[in-house]
Amino acid sequence: MEIKYSVCPHDCPDTCALKVEIQDGKIVKVAGDDYHPVTRGVICEKVRAYPERIYGNRILYPMRRTGKKGAGEFERISWNDAIDEIAGRWVELISKCGPESIMPYSYGGTEGIINKSSMDRRLFNKIGATAIGRTICSVAGSLGYQLSYGISKGVNPLDSVDSKLIIFWGINALETNMHQAVIADAARKNGAKIIVIDVHRNKTAKWADDFYMLLPGSDGALALGIAHIILRDNLEDKAFLEEYSFGLDEFRKKAMKYPPDRVAVLTGISKERIEYLARLYAETKPSFLRIGNGFQHHKNGGINTWLISLLPALTAAWSDKGGGALKSNSGYFPLNEEALKRPDLIKKPVRTVNMVQLGKALCELDPPLMSLYVYNSNPAVVAPNQNYVIRGLAREDLFTVVHEQTMTDTAKWADIILPATTSFEHADLYVSYWHTSLQWADPVIPRAGEAKPNIDVFKLIARSLGFNDECFLDTEEDIARQALDIPYWREKGITLERLKKERFIMLGTEDYPFERGKLPTPSGKIEFKSQKVAAYGFSEIPEYYPIKDYISNGASLPKPDFPLIFVSPPNHFFLNSSFAGVSSLKAKAREPFLEINRKDAEDRGISDGDLVTIQNGQGCVSIKAKVLDSVLPGVVVSAGLWWKDDYINGSGVNALTPDDLSDIGGGATFFSSQVEVKKI
Ligand SMILES: Nc1nc2c(c(=O)[nH]1)N[C@H]1C(S)=C(S)[C@@H](COP(=O)(O)OP(=O)(O)OC[C@H]3O[C@@H](n4cnc5c(=O)[nH]c(N)nc54)[C@H](O)[C@@H]3O)O[C@H]1N2
Ligand SMILES: Nc1nc2c(c(=O)[nH]1)N[C@H]1C(S)=C(S)[C@@H](COP(=O)(O)OP(=O)(O)OC[C@H]3O[C@@H](n4cnc5c(=O)[nH]c(N)nc54)[C@H](O)[C@@H]3O)O[C@H]1N2
Ligand code: SF4
Ligand SMILES: [Mo]
């Protein structure tokens, strides 16, 4: 038995350090690294099941489509043939239709910097391919938070153990950020109170001390209501605000328009409960707001995140260790993006497609996209407006390449499938968007079959296309060195050599956003008023815009036809759509189901366990209903992201989600979906 160390590559805030047990060259157990101060030997059950994922249904060699598009019939070919075919088709497309007829599509399959965003960007920049805007996850919330603080930096989660009030706002931490829940539990043992604000009673809400169930997308109204009470009752920290904030006077006028009785109507929370929450927040120190992705997947998600992120400024929560907020901590990891991605290789400006609107891009773009190269993503399952995405992938004249570890719903639509290594089979550099450790992982097992890491494939294609730039020869270690080659890392004495020796390096918290006078906002202060937001077409003082002002999917039909808001958050047992092909995890997750409130169920003659259809102008999903009081009337919830065949009618939750864009940043609006539910 051999013990080796690795890093979890998945798109999860925890970025766990892993301890891997290996027998006869095979992984037999994946556990948490006991030495890592955040992981502390504990990981989720998804990654504990990894041996099944590595040695289960892997794609082991390159394949070419033999049957009809989407039929899933393929023949084995050699790597040489696969690369020749891809390069050959692209050379032809570039000369006939121009380089912008080719487009990459990727997201967070691996969060390793090297295989996520280095050689791929170089190659597609050099080609002059259509660019992809990677907006599917967190852009609206990140930009919203940055309107306040100028950068994605917040509380070091390890410090939140000292907090006395922890609010999980739109985050199902127990399932999606488990180590934050572990830390919160330790804080609770020291007397902290844990509160959850969410649209349904999820696992985290059941575990918390108090739960506020509100109407989808009404978070901005709640934040204004809390601000109203704090300012009305003189509970704000005047000295802190005087020194570190900008635009408070005008914000105060706005907040005064949100008294508790009005906010109660907008949010569905009673005015007494709103009063209680605001006082508790203002009077408990340190207070920590863990801001999640839930509400920023609505059409008003960016501005709502801005509003929520201003609350810790009102109370000067930032002044205490363990106090403040945390949306994303990616700002602690600046990298040398120019060296990684080589934007200088772009010869002339190219068009950009928003990844949220893949169906539209494939079906409507003029001049059309003629080739799609998918890696690190499973758009047939994860992208909104699924039926439109499938219509695009089904185009006979679209040359689709999918580089994958397993036979996903997207891979079935490929013309060429390429086998990808897992993170245990290749080296990479890892940052986290939650904790503050930089990590390195070497491969710990041999590559499965003929699988190759992303960067190797991009290098082969570059060579085949005759690209001689030296950057197409770089190894993983070359790229990692380039990524860290900026003053930030040099000043901290952090090099690849040191990282490889130490495996992980924890950064300090000296760069907190409230660091005196150094905020990278236009005013240099926390902004209650923003000039930047005008660029998105909103007023300089944050306002609450209800989602119903934006809702448009199924707009061709009158709104009363789709009176329910449909929320489809991620699944405890899967990581987005990854792991939804792992049998033991699927068995634990049982089957997809819909949570519906008793009143909505009664109105529709639906009983617990009935089969129902969820429908709107875009699609229809057949599913089992659970009648519960865990959601408000008017709201239905179904956790994703099962693969399509696991639904009775072969249609997943994203058949119902809109490809409309969020208020700021062009983000995804998965949860602002309108539907009707009917008994089958
Ligand atoms: N087990 C597991 N962990 C994961 C993932 C996974 O798929 N599975 N995915 C990873 C990824 S990529 C991400 S981005 C994160 C996402 O993890 P989170 O930040 O937790 O975000 P979500 O789970 O999308 O939504 C969180 C909660 O917000 C609620 N919500 C929906 N609309 C609203 C609203 O209007 N207001 C409020 N207050 N709440 C609302 C949802 O019901 C849900 O309970 O998790 C990561 N971790
Ligand atoms: N309805 C609804 N839809 C959602 C969400 C939701 O909450 N509700 N969440 C959204 C969010 S927040 C996100 S981040 C997206 C996530 O969407 P994706 O980033 O597409 O996430 P995954 O479903 O995990 O798919 C990643 C794929 O990459 C593959 N992969 C892993 N490592 C490698 C590698 O090294 N090389 C290659 N070539 N492939 C690799 C995996 O096998 C997997 O199939 O989904 C979004 N979709
Ligand atoms: S998915 Fe998240 S919690 Fe699970 S091992 Fe990976 S980083 Fe840790
Ligand atoms: Mo995400």
Side-chain angles (χ1 to χ4, degrees), residues 11-13 107-108 111 136-138 293 296-297 433 570 575-576 670:
D11 188 354
C12 169
Y107 201 68
E111 287 288 305
I136 204 163
C137 178
S138 59
N293 253 9
Q296 63 100 59
H297 274 161
Y433 51 90
L575 199 297
N576 301 318
F670 292 107

Side-chain angles (χ1 to χ4, degrees), residues 13 142 181 227 239 264 284 296 303 388 407 485 498 502 547 576 581 649 677:
S142 295
T284 315
Q296 63 100 59
I303 302 285
Y388 210 16
M407 195 53 126
D485 188 18
R498 186 180 145 200
E502 298 177 27
I547 49 170
N576 301 318
N649 65 335
V677 175

Side-chain angles (χ1 to χ4, degrees), residues 393-414:
L393 292 174
R395 262 179 50 195
E396 275 303 329
D397 59 343
L398 182 74
F399 176 62
T400 303
V401 181
V402 178
H403 186 202
E404 250 302 349
Q405 297 164 340
T406 64
M407 195 53 126
T408 59
D409 287 349
T410 308
K412 287 181 191 152
W413 290 100

